[in-house]
Amino acid sequence: MNDEKLPILLVPDTRLRQKARLIAPGDEDAVRALAPRMLATMYAAPGIGLAAPQVGSNLRLIVLDVAGKEEPPAPMILVNPEITAATKEMAIREEGCLSLPGQYADVERPARIKLRWQELDGSKREMEAEGLLGVCLQHEIDHLNGVLFVDHLSALKRNMLLRKLAKELKAKTRDD
Ligand code: K2U
Ligand code: ZN
């Protein structure tokens, strides 16, 4: 029950463009019910990250697991994650998004970030992140602010990618 998968919203669903709200005292039960389901949804996609808005929740909650296939799973649940610092140095990596299936593009982001968040029990945590973890965290926190990876592309590239996605989703619904 608790780890029943959830449907992942696809662009252009407007709920992907809303700013999620801070998790506050009283949200504990909702978060404890949602987090395992987000992890189950992420692993089934498969993905290495997922943000609550992608499953229709406006809570500032993200889950991720960047452990490789050979390593044991290392799931993380981050409540109210916040980037507190970012290097001027940038890094480019090809990104995808479970809400824009089949679309990929190179995205430039700060190479290293400082992050703070809360655990489910409310304890405050801080860490530095770079590489795939750093990109995944920035990608997921973007989702909490209604920002998608295509927003970091030139207008030309963004429009090409969104047109291609719309065409593919239309063809898919026609085939279904
Ligand atoms: O938020 C999401 O849509 C899940 C994203 C997270 C992500 C995007 C780009 C770079 C890192 C993480 C992905 O769809 S998860 C799929 C994936 C798997 C391995 C490497 C990159 C992306
Ligand atoms: Zn995404």
Side-chain angles (χ1 to χ4, degrees), residues 84-104:
T84 55
T87 53
K88 277 197 190 55
E89 183 202 347
M90 304 295 270
I92 296 181
R93 176 186 280 268
E94 185 181 57
E95 296 192 19
C97 182
L98 297 174
S99 297
L100 294 96
Q103 311 309 316
Y104 301 90

Side-chain angles (χ1 to χ4, degrees), residues 8 42 46-51 54 66 93-100 104 109 132 135-137 139-140 143 149:
I8 295 177
M42 179 192 79
I48 58 173
L50 195 67
Q54 293 182 278
V66 295
R93 176 186 280 268
E94 185 181 57
E95 296 192 19
C97 182
L98 297 174
S99 297
L100 294 96
Y104 301 90
R109 295 183 189 269
L132 182 58
V135 170
C136 187
L137 285 163
H139 179 110
E140 301 311 334
H143 273 300
F149 81 88

Side-chain angles (χ1 to χ4, degrees), residues 75-147:
M76 291 182 74
I77 299 172
L78 292 88
V79 168
N80 299 336
E82 213 183 324
I83 292 173
T84 55
T87 53
K88 277 197 190 55
E89 183 202 347
M90 304 295 270
I92 296 181
R93 176 186 280 268
E94 185 181 57
E95 296 192 19
C97 182
L98 297 174
S99 297
L100 294 96
Q103 311 309 316
Y104 301 90
D106 281 351
V107 178
E108 190 179 39
R109 295 183 189 269
R112 269 183 315 288
I113 58 167
K114 270 207 181 105
L115 180 85
R116 88 177 155 202
W117 77 97
Q118 287 168 338
E119 300 278 359
L120 280 181
D121 63 13
S123 58
K124 294 208 186 311
R125 299 287 305 281
E126 273 198 342
M127 77 167 163
E128 288 196 16
E130 60 183 2
L132 182 58
L133 177 60
V135 170
C136 187
L137 285 163
Q138 293 179 74
H139 179 110
E140 301 311 334
I141 292 170
D142 265 356
H143 273 300
L144 301 182
N145 297 321
V147 174

